[in-house]
Amino acid sequence: MSGKKIILVTGSSGLVGHGIRAAIEQEGQREDEEWHFVSSKDADLQDRASTEALFEKIKPTHVIHLAALVGGLFRNLDHNLDFFRINTQINDNVLSTSHRYDVKKVISCLSTCNFPNETKYPINETMLHCGPPHETNFGYSYAKRMIDVQNKGYHMQHGRMFTSVIPTSVFGPHDNFNLHDGHVLPGLIRRAFDSKADGTPFVIWGTGSPRRQFIYSLDLGRLFLWVMREYNEVTPLILSAEADHEISIKEAAELISEAVGYHGAVIQDTSKSDGQFKKTVSNDKMRKYLPDFKFTPFKQAIKETCDWYAANADKVRK
Ligand code: NDP
């Protein structure tokens, strides 16, 4: 069928990729869209020839670019140089190959931790380059910010529609539940299940007071579908629930205890780093486009994620 979109999703074996697949399943696949979900098994995007071979095979008209070296606070702290170099290479290969293969639209994925550490709140899309990121993840953040620089360059020099979205902390099925490498919420879920099984206290790393906005991977998947079809600005779009949905790590741990059915002690290990205290973002730009978009209630999303973990305990990444 002419005008059919051939959509390549890089990095789709992870948390966000599964959110997009779940959103397509929920909505039903459209006849004018053909989806290709790939991971590092299909191509090493750090390698130029491998990236080109993938594009030659799929011939995408649209790319959702998720592939990245991703990790939580503790993995970033130890590997800032790797996060910068690997992500810069992957992004440059994907964007330049998309240009070469005449891809109509590329949507890359930045993160709210890429914003400046010292900033006004709430943070909006215009503030991305207004100061250094937090020291703990400067490598990942500068690599991600350079996507926005490239998007602007490809637009100004070649008229390309390469854009980006900036979700808050994502959680959901298929997350990385490794305690050292993963993000805060999957780490808490894993420790709550372990504490319930072992009868040991449920430990929050750090003081538990930092505040975060979380987005459920299924909601993010639904938003990605909209961005792919409708969003036509080169500048980034923050994807987030309202700023007053922000909660502390301690409050999240309480909801997780409830979902897991853990009734023992919850204690803090204050020898562990807290990271950035908060990263409150504004969703004003998103709401101008999508005033009626409904996010899954946080408590329900946590429960669904914990239930998924319990049902898949033998095969989750941990
Ligand atoms: P995951 O770690 O779950 O998945 C990473 C994906 O990237 C996997 O599919 C992996 O493939 C692929 N990948 C890694 N290196 C390469 C490579 N060299 N070549 C090809 N593919 C590679 O990540 P998430 O789903 O959590 O994140 C997806 C995107 O969303 C990332 O760009 C991330 O920066 C962004 N993001 C994530 C947030 C979060 O809270 N998780 C928040 C904001 C943004 P394989 O499985 O084969 O290794």
Side-chain angles (χ1 to χ4, degrees), residues 284-299:
D284 286 357
K285 185 174 175 185
M286 185 196 102
R287 281 295 182 208
K288 277 197 190 118
Y289 283 106
L290 294 168
D292 301 324
F293 185 87
K294 297 232 174 342
F295 287 91
T296 309
F298 186 62
K299 197 172 169 179

Side-chain angles (χ1 to χ4, degrees), residues 40 43-48 51 65-71 75-76 78-95 138-144 146-147 150:
S40 66
D44 176 6
L45 300 174
Q46 253 188 282
D47 180 77
R48 176 80 195 184
T51 308
H65 172 40
L66 305 175
L69 177 62
V70 179
R75 189 179 187 192
N76 270 278
D78 297 343
H79 297 96
N80 264 296
L81 178 65
D82 293 348
F83 273 88
F84 181 77
R85 295 195 64 231
I86 291 172
N87 285 318
T88 303
Q89 283 166 355
I90 290 176
N91 298 335
D92 189 52
N93 281 337
V94 169
L95 293 178
F138 71 88
Y140 174 74
S141 292
Y142 277 119
K144 287 286 188 182
M146 290 309 112
I147 291 179
Q150 293 214 43

Side-chain angles (χ1 to χ4, degrees), residues 72 120 168:
K120 285 192 219 137
T168 54

Side-chain angles (χ1 to χ4, degrees), residues 11-17 39-41 43-46 65-70 90 109-111 140 144 167-170 183 317:
S12 67
S13 56
L15 169 66
V16 178
S39 72
S40 66
K41 290 189 187 73
D44 176 6
L45 300 174
Q46 253 188 282
H65 172 40
L66 305 175
L69 177 62
V70 179
I90 290 176
C109 195
L110 277 56
S111 160
Y140 174 74
K144 287 286 188 182
T168 54
S169 292
V170 191
H183 288 108
R317 277 188 286 169

Side-chain angles (χ1 to χ4, degrees), residues 106-305:
V106 180
I107 304 141
S108 300
C109 195
L110 277 56
S111 160
T112 51
C113 68
N114 308 150
F115 281 109
N117 180 35
E118 289 181 18
T119 181
K120 285 192 219 137
Y121 296 102
I123 300 168
N124 68 44
E125 289 84 352
T126 66
M127 301 176 181
L128 185 61
H129 303 284
C130 294
H134 196 267
E135 271 292 296
T136 49
N137 60 21
F138 71 88
Y140 174 74
S141 292
Y142 277 119
K144 287 286 188 182
R145 287 184 188 189
M146 290 309 112
I147 291 179
D148 182 53
V149 172
Q150 293 214 43
N151 286 348
K152 186 173 176 179
Y154 277 110
H155 185 67
M156 290 181 72
Q157 213 169 311
H158 301 293
R160 292 288 181 204
M161 179 44 65
F162 293 178
T163 187
S164 62
V165 294
I166 314 183
T168 54
S169 292
V170 191
F171 71 98
H174 303 277
D175 207 342
N176 178 359
F177 292 87
N178 183 288
L179 294 180
H180 190 261
D181 292 352
H183 288 108
V184 56
L185 223 55
L188 287 171
I189 290 173
R190 160 111 185 255
R191 290 203 295 284
F193 272 108
D194 289 352
S195 296
K196 187 182 170 192
D198 307 342
T200 51
F202 173 19
V203 184
I204 298 173
W205 288 5
T207 63
S209 50
R211 303 185 69 76
R212 295 286 180 269
Q213 284 158 294
F214 295 104
I215 184 165
Y216 188 33
S217 54
L218 181 61
D219 293 340
L220 181 57
R222 288 160 57 216
L223 288 165
F224 256 108
L225 296 186
W226 178 83
V227 170
M228 197 270 297
R229 293 165 186 156
E230 309 291 346
Y231 182 68
N232 286 315
E233 292 187 46
V234 172
T235 51
L237 181 68
I238 290 173
L239 301 176
S240 171
E242 318 332 294
D244 62 5
H245 286 216
E246 190 173 56
I247 64 166
S248 71
I249 305 293
K250 190 162 177 291
E251 288 162 338
E254 283 160 7
L255 283 172
I256 289 168
S257 298
E258 197 185 321
V260 166
Y262 171 78
H263 305 294
V266 181
I267 58 173
Q268 287 120 38
D269 177 357
T270 53
S271 69
K272 296 261 197 300
S273 172
D274 264 347
Q276 207 165 339
F277 178 68
K278 64 174 187 171
K279 323 174 187 180
T280 323
V281 292
S282 157
N283 68 358
D284 286 357
K285 185 174 175 185
M286 185 196 102
R287 281 295 182 208
K288 277 197 190 118
Y289 283 106
L290 294 168
D292 301 324
F293 185 87
K294 297 232 174 342
F295 287 91
T296 309
F298 186 62
K299 197 172 169 179
Q300 179 189 332
I302 285 287
K303 179 80 176 99
E304 287 176 10
T305 306

